[in-house]
Amino acid sequence: MQPIGSHMPPMPIEERDDLPNPIEFYDNYVKPGVPVVFKGIAKKFPNFNDMKSDEYLREKHGDFEVLVETAKKEDRNNPPRTMNLSNYLSIYEKEDVYVVQTMFPPEAFTKEAFVPKCLLCQGFLDRLNMVIMWLSSGGTKSVLHNDSFENLNCVLDGTKEFVMIDRKHADLVPIDNPDRGFSSVDVEKVDMHKYPTLGKLPWYIANMEAGDCFYIPKNWFHHVNSSQTRNLAINIWWRSSKEFKHREECEKSLADIPEYDTLWNYRLNNGIKIEDLVFADAFSENGTTTLINLLKITYKTLPKEMEAKQKREALEKLQELFYQADANKDKLLSKDEITSTASSLVQDFLTDEAVLEEEVDELYDEVKEEL
C-alpha cells in the first residue's frame, strides 16, 4: 500500500512570484476556486528570520498558552494538551507533539502574524474568521480533510507538501466523518480495496518552501506533510462570499495598499452574520421560501467546525429573522422582505405565529432528520 496521492502523476498547481491585489485575487482565484502558490512573499514580513528562532519565541511569547496535539500523525480522536509556549519549546524536539493554536487580536502573538496585500481590502478583512499557528519539530501528517473556509497558509520555517483534490470530485472522496469534515483513510498506506474511489481521482501537489503562501479554496480536500525539520506556518481563514463586497472602495484604494499589515490591527469575525445565513438556494422560482426550507438549506451550509449548540443557536436566530421579515404574515419569506429587513434583531422577539422557544429543539431535530 502506498501513500495517498501516489497512484498517478500529480497535476500542477499554479505558482506566482508576485502577489495580486485584492480584486485580482478574488476574481482570478477565490471566486472560481483556483489554488495558487505565491512564492517567497512571506520573506518580506519583518519577523521572517526571527520566527526561525526558538529563543525569540521563548523570550517574546513564552507565557502564551498553546494547544498541543499529542501525535504528529494527526488523530482527531486524541485529546490535546495545553501548556505555555516556553514549556512546549523545551520538549517538542523529543516528544511526538505539535502546536495547533488559534490566535485572536489583540493577543500579543498576533503581532507576529501578517496579512498579505491580497487580503487588505474590506471585502476580505470584514470576513476574517480565524488565524492558526502550526509549530513542530517536523514530520507531521494531517488527515485527508476539507475546510469550510477560504484559507491562506504561509510557511515561515521548513517545507510543506499539500496533496490536493478538487472539490468538484466530492462524491468520490470518502469523508466518513462528515460532521468533522475528514476521512479515516490511512494517509501513509491507502487501502484501495476499502477506498477504491481514491484510485480514480486526479491529484494536485503543492510544494511549499519557507516564505511561500498557498491559497487553498474552500472545500478543496487536502492532506499535508511537513518536512522532517523544524516547521512553522500561520494560516488565515476567512468566510467565502459570492461577490466581492465594497469593490468600488477597494478599487479606489489599490495604489495605497501596503505589501502586508500586522494582524494585530484587525479584529476577527468568527461569528455568523444573519445575512450570511440567507442563501439564494433557499428561494423557489417565484422568489419565496418556507421556514423549514430556509432552515434546511442553511443547516447544510453551516461550517463543519461549528458545534451542535452553535448550529442550533444559528437556526434560532434565523427563525426570528423569518418571522420578523415576513411582513404580510403569509408564512412565506420573499427576497424583497429579506433585503428590506434590518439584520440586527430584537432579542426574544416573537410574533403570534412564531415557533415557541420550547419547540426549537423539536424543530432542530426535524431539520437534521430530513437532511
Side-chain angles (χ1 to χ4, degrees):
M1 292 185 282
Q2 295 179 309
I4 199 163
S6 300
H7 65 279
M8 67 171 63
M11 304 280 286
I13 285 178
E14 181 182 351
E15 295 183 352
R16 290 181 56 157
D17 294 325
D18 63 332
L19 198 58
N21 66 50
I23 293 177
E24 181 189 353
F25 180 50
Y26 179 83
D27 289 345
N28 294 344
Y29 300 102
V30 178
K31 186 174 183 179
V34 176
V36 57
V37 177
F38 300 113
K39 300 294 293 182
I41 65 167
K43 292 180 179 179
K44 298 178 181 179
F45 297 167
N47 65 344
F48 177 71
N49 290 321
D50 292 332
M51 295 295 276
K52 298 177 183 294
S53 167
D54 286 351
E55 287 307 311
Y56 174 83
L57 294 178
R58 184 179 285 109
E59 179 181 343
K60 296 275 290 186
H61 306 287
D63 293 334
F64 184 44
E65 288 290 319
V66 294
L67 202 64
V68 179
E69 297 289 341
T70 56
K72 289 185 179 181
K73 184 176 181 180
E74 184 181 12
D75 182 347
R76 296 195 175 184
N77 294 316
N78 280 350
R81 301 156 57 186
T82 57
M83 63 183 72
N84 66 39
L85 186 56
S86 182
N87 288 340
Y88 171 76
L89 292 172
S90 68
I91 67 167
Y92 84 121
E93 292 181 323
K94 298 171 287 187
E95 296 189 21
D96 190 23
V97 292
Y98 68 101
V99 161
V100 182
Q101 179 58 42
T102 304
M103 301 179 287
F104 295 98
E107 292 174 339
F109 203 96
T110 59
K111 293 182 179 180
E112 306 290 358
F114 288 87
V115 183
K117 176 177 71 175
C118 60
L119 296 178
L120 290 178
C121 262
Q122 190 175 352
F124 287 121
L125 294 173
D126 282 353
R127 308 183 74 80
L128 295 183
N129 178 271
M130 193 175 297
V131 176
I132 305 173
M133 174 181 67
W134 309 78
L135 174 61
S136 75
S137 61
T140 61
K141 296 180 181 295
S142 79
V143 294
L144 177 64
H145 66 286
N146 67 352
D147 300 310
S148 301
F149 298 96
E150 310 287 0
N151 185 356
L152 189 69
N153 186 299
C154 294
V155 175
L156 303 177
D157 197 12
T159 64
K160 288 186 183 294
E161 177 193 64
F162 282 77
V163 182
M164 309 283 293
I165 307 172
D166 194 325
R167 61 193 180 195
K168 69 183 180 182
H169 300 302
D171 58 332
L172 296 177
V173 182
I175 298 297
D176 46 9
N177 295 274
D179 289 343
R180 299 168 69 188
F182 74 95
S183 173
S184 299
V185 62
D186 186 335
V187 294
E188 293 183 291
K189 299 177 181 179
V190 178
D191 185 342
M192 287 297 183
H193 295 289
K194 185 176 181 180
Y195 301 103
T197 57
L198 290 179
K200 304 175 183 178
L201 289 167
W203 297 83
Y204 296 78
I205 297 289
N207 291 304
M208 297 180 65
E209 301 172 324
D212 295 347
C213 292
F214 179 32
Y215 165 58
I216 306 166
K218 171 186 174 181
N219 287 334
W220 270 62
F221 301 91
H222 51 286
H223 155 64
V224 190
N225 291 309
S226 65
S227 58
Q228 295 297 323
T229 58
R230 184 180 186 274
N231 205 278
L232 173 61
I234 292 178
N235 77 280
I236 300 173
W237 276 357
W238 69 95
R239 292 176 292 115
S240 62
S241 59
K242 293 184 178 179
E243 61 182 25
F244 189 69
K245 297 183 179 181
H246 311 289
R247 178 181 283 264
E248 290 186 9
E249 294 92 328
C250 185
E251 288 175 340
K252 293 176 183 177
S253 67
L254 289 180
D256 300 320
I257 296 176
E259 287 296 308
Y260 55 82
D261 196 7
T262 175
L263 176 68
W264 192 81
N265 289 334
Y266 304 96
R267 295 297 175 264
L268 304 186
N269 183 1
N270 61 340
I272 299 174
K273 293 183 178 180
I274 289 295
E275 57 264 33
D276 293 328
L277 295 179
V278 183
F279 296 89
D281 291 344
F283 293 91
S284 63
E285 291 184 1
N286 63 5
T288 62
T289 182
T290 62
L291 173 60
I292 191 67
N293 185 59
L294 186 61
L295 293 175
K296 285 168 61 178
I297 296 296
T298 298
Y299 185 83
K300 291 179 181 179
T301 60
L302 293 177
K304 299 180 181 70
E305 295 79 10
M306 286 183 68
E307 296 180 356
K309 180 181 178 182
Q310 292 176 304
K311 291 182 178 181
R312 178 175 172 273
E313 290 172 349
L315 295 186
E316 287 178 0
K317 291 180 181 180
L318 190 59
Q319 169 201 302
E320 292 179 19
L321 174 61
F322 184 98
Y323 285 109
Q324 180 167 326
D326 182 17
N328 60 5
K329 306 305 176 193
D330 63 352
K331 298 185 180 181
L332 292 173
L333 195 62
S334 69
K335 292 181 180 179
D336 289 341
E337 287 175 326
I338 284 289
T339 56
S340 62
T341 301
S343 61
S344 56
L345 300 175
V346 179
Q347 290 293 324
D348 301 321
F349 176 85
L350 293 173
T351 70
D352 292 339
E353 296 178 353
V355 177
L356 297 177
E357 187 173 356
E358 58 265 24
E359 296 175 344
V360 169
D361 280 330
E362 181 180 344
L363 179 60
Y364 181 64
D365 290 338
E366 179 185 347
V367 171
K368 289 197 295 184
E369 184 176 345
E370 288 199 30
L371 291 175

